[in-house]
């Protein structure tokens, strides 16, 4: 009888240990392995962590390593874009031919990708028109030969490229329907995402942009010629085409620096008078019946990200640093007003 009890106890303990191993140890082990396997990286959805990982590389890439008001240095030149590149592979040519003959699976896959991810309905004819434009401009030339031979990589690249071209056109026409859908996926406002993409384009061609327009808070891409926009797109995809081909989500990771800039640039509501509590709560994104402890927590979180000491460490362009400091002072003023009202 005692032997049976001992066996039962051992079995129970064994089951518990096995359960803990499966639920705790194995997931940690496989996550560690996953992060070491090329191509298995899944970008973090948290914008702040993406910014921390990417900001230094992106600043260097866009010539922002020095705190300077000089915006006339670019990491790529138009000569690089126009340099001879190999013609499309036979795999790419086959996809172009398929489209010329009236669409096919390739255009439908791009159509489904954008519709599924962003809830934005595209007609097949619009996708076909884009693919013909891609053929005319030889956009496939920015891919490595290996990626040009990989139908999935080509599809990924063309899906992101079409998305980018459509969003740039929306900024130019000030019709932000698609950008609104994409912004929602990124958990930012439509205005912030528009600003971020516009900043990315403007920094790419900053030698052609006046300093006072670089950080414009309204859509201004329509003021530039189509040729300038084409140059900007070419420069962007020179840097990112093969990343998009590998993983379309990397497009959003490459937006992280500019999303952080857009957040700084997005204006807050203005206090109309010294007792404008309604606006003060709106600035902190709190309700008037919110608990004081919740308000303090919210303010503390904002202050940790926007405090002047923190801003000073961000190596921002001078124009953005001024905006960031002004925005923090605005938030501080709103918080002080709320605290004063709660003490009465």
């Amino acid at each position: 009888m005692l032997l049976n009890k001992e066996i039962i106890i051992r079995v129970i303990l064994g089951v518990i240990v096995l359960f803990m191993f499966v639920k705790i140890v194995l997931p940690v082990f496989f996550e560690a392995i996953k992060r070491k396997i090329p191509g298995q990286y899944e970008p973090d959805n948290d914008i702040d962590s993406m910014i921390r990982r990417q900001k230094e590389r992106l600043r260097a890439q866009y010539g922002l390593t020095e705190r300077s008001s000089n915006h006339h240095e670019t990491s790529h030149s138009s000569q690089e874009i126009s340099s001879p590149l190999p013609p499309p592979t036979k795999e790419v040519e086959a996809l172009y031919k398929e489209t010329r003959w009236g669409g096919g699976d390739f255009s439908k896959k791009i159509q489904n990708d954008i519709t599924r991810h962003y809830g934005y309905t595209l007609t097949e004819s619009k996708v076909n028109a884009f693919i013909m434009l891609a053929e005319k401009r030889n956009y496939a030339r920015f891919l490595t030969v290996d990626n040009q031979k990989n139908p999935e990589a080509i599809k990924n690249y063309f899906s992101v490229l079409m998305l980018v071209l459509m969003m740039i056109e929306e900024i130019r026409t000030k019709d932000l329907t698609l950008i609104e859908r994409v912004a929602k996926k990124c958990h930012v406002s439509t205005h912030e995402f528009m600003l971020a993409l516009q900043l990315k384009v403007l920094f790419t061609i900053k030698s052609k942009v006046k300093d006072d327009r670089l950080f414009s808070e309204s859509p201004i891409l329509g003021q530039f010629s189509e040729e300038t926009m084409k140059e900007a797109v070419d420069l962007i995809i020179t840097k990112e085409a093969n990343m998009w081909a590998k993983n379309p989500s990397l497009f959003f990771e490459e937006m992280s620096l500019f999303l952080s800039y857009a957040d700084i640039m997005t204006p807050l509501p203005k206090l109309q008078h010294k007792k404008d509590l309604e606006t003060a709560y709106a600035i902190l994104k709190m309700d008037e019946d919110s608990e004081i402890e919740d308000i303090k927590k919210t303010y503390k979180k904002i202050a940790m990200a926007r405090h002047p000491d923190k801003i000073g460490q961000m190596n921002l362009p001078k124009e953005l640093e001024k905006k960031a400091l002004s925005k923090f002072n605005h938030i501080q003023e709103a918080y002080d007003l709320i605290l004063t009202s709660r003490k009465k």
Side-chain angles (χ1 to χ4, degrees), residues 87-98:
T89 60
K90 61 182 181 181
E91 288 83 1
V92 174
E93 288 288 3
L95 295 174
Y96 287 155
K97 185 176 180 181
E98 177 186 286

Side-chain angles (χ1 to χ4, degrees), residues 250-261:
L250 292 177
F251 164 71
F252 297 102
E253 187 154 334
E254 292 298 300
M255 288 287 290
S256 61
L257 177 67
F258 297 104
L259 282 168
S260 70
Y261 286 0

Side-chain angles (χ1 to χ4, degrees), residues 98-263:
E98 177 186 286
T99 304
R100 288 196 297 270
W101 282 92
D105 289 342
F106 182 62
S107 59
K108 286 178 182 175
K109 286 178 181 177
I110 294 175
Q111 182 183 10
N112 292 338
D113 259 14
I114 293 176
T115 302
R116 185 174 72 253
H117 288 119
Y118 310 107
Y120 185 85
T121 304
L122 281 172
T123 61
E124 191 173 345
S125 60
K126 189 166 186 177
V127 179
N128 290 341
F130 157 72
I131 295 172
M132 286 188 279
L133 175 68
E135 180 181 13
K136 180 181 177 182
R137 294 185 177 177
N138 194 13
Y139 278 138
R141 74 187 191 273
F142 295 99
L143 293 175
T144 62
V145 173
D146 284 346
N147 278 332
Q148 286 194 44
K149 291 180 178 179
N150 183 339
E152 184 68 17
I154 300 168
K155 187 265 295 180
N156 288 344
Y157 166 56
F158 274 10
S159 293
V160 178
L161 179 56
M162 184 172 186
L163 186 74
V164 171
L165 290 174
M166 287 193 297
M167 290 193 294
I168 289 174
E169 186 58 28
E170 283 196 347
I171 297 174
R172 286 170 62 78
T173 60
K174 301 182 182 180
D175 173 15
L176 308 180
T177 308
L178 175 58
I179 289 177
E180 182 181 0
R181 308 286 178 87
V182 176
K184 189 177 292 186
K185 181 180 175 68
C186 294
H187 308 292
V188 297
S189 70
T190 303
H191 185 73
E192 279 182 72
F193 196 90
M194 181 279 294
L195 281 181
L197 183 56
Q198 177 167 278
L199 276 169
K200 183 167 187 165
V201 172
L202 294 178
F203 267 102
T204 303
I205 53 166
K206 56 191 172 186
S207 61
K208 299 185 177 182
V209 183
K210 293 180 180 178
D211 289 353
D212 60 346
R213 298 169 75 195
L214 192 60
F215 295 102
S216 174
E217 294 174 7
S218 57
I220 62 168
L221 294 188
Q223 299 173 20
F224 296 88
S225 68
E226 287 190 14
E227 189 59 35
T228 300
M229 288 296 97
K230 179 181 177 298
E231 180 186 343
V233 170
D234 284 358
L235 287 164
I236 290 170
I237 59 182
T238 296
K239 302 168 188 172
E240 300 182 19
N242 291 288
M243 287 191 294
W244 300 349
K246 176 184 176 184
N247 184 345
S249 297
L250 292 177
F251 164 71
F252 297 102
E253 187 154 334
E254 292 298 300
M255 288 287 290
S256 61
L257 177 67
F258 297 104
L259 282 168
S260 70
Y261 286 0
D263 177 56

Side-chain angles (χ1 to χ4, degrees), residues 26 52 58 69 80 92 123 185 224 252 265 277 287:
L26 280 182
R52 285 195 296 273
L58 289 170
S69 59
E80 288 179 88
V92 174
T123 61
K185 181 180 175 68
F224 296 88
F252 297 102
M265 291 170 60
L277 281 170
D287 299 321

Side-chain angles (χ1 to χ4, degrees), residues 58-74:
L58 289 170
R59 284 193 183 110
Q61 182 171 293
Y62 285 90
L64 294 169
T65 49
E66 298 297 327
R67 293 180 66 182
S68 168
S69 59
N70 178 16
H71 305 301
H72 305 295
E73 299 173 11
T74 57

